[in-house]
Amino acid sequence: FALLNVMTGVFCSNAIETAQQNPEFVATSVITSRKAYSDNLRALFKTVDEDHSGLITLTELEKLLLDERMRAHLTALEIDVSDAWTLFRLLDSNHSGAIEV
């Protein structure tokens, strides 16, 4: 994921430089970058979903936060461990203690 973040950063930097020349290209680039980020986060969530229920529970999130490799994945996505809890609470809109993958 770290390589992907570097590539995305370079890609976004180049896109910003061309913004004055081609705004449509920049808009497409931003959308593509957001989709890649979303896909990477979804892939991480699927890995964490141990029971393959399509939901991540608080217990599964806690295991994620205790696993050094998984924390590294969060870091690669530029998500701090404390932000992971916040993200979980935001995504758990119905307060069920689980979020959909």
Side-chain angles (χ1 to χ4, degrees), residues 13 35 52 84 91-92:
S13 177
K35 183 177 179 343
H52 305 290
L91 293 174
D92 183 20

Side-chain angles (χ1 to χ4, degrees), residues 2 16 21 25 40-41 47 49 60 63 71:
I16 291 169
Q21 297 172 3
F25 174 75
N40 288 329
L41 187 58
T47 302
D49 182 20
E60 289 170 325
K63 286 182 183 178
R71 285 195 322 261

Side-chain angles (χ1 to χ4, degrees), residues 22-47:
N22 190 343
E24 183 62 32
F25 174 75
V26 173
T28 301
S29 298
V30 169
I31 290 169
T32 301
S33 294
R34 285 182 184 167
K35 183 177 179 343
Y37 185 88
S38 176
D39 290 346
N40 288 329
L41 187 58
R42 186 171 281 114
L44 176 62
F45 281 175
K46 284 183 180 182
T47 302

Side-chain angles (χ1 to χ4, degrees), residues 38-97:
S38 176
D39 290 346
N40 288 329
L41 187 58
R42 186 171 281 114
L44 176 62
F45 281 175
K46 284 183 180 182
T47 302
V48 174
D49 182 20
E50 293 178 337
D51 62 359
H52 305 290
S53 64
L55 298 172
I56 296 178
T57 64
L58 281 171
T59 302
E60 289 170 325
L61 178 68
E62 288 172 354
K63 286 182 183 178
L64 164 78
L65 299 178
L66 293 174
D67 184 286
E68 186 175 342
R69 181 178 165 97
M70 291 296 134
R71 285 195 322 261
H73 284 279
L74 287 174
T75 300
L77 291 168
E78 299 180 2
I79 299 174
D80 187 80
V81 171
S82 62
D83 293 339
W85 287 106
T86 303
L87 178 62
F88 187 90
R89 285 192 306 266
L90 288 171
L91 293 174
D92 183 20
S93 57
N94 64 358
H95 307 290
S96 66

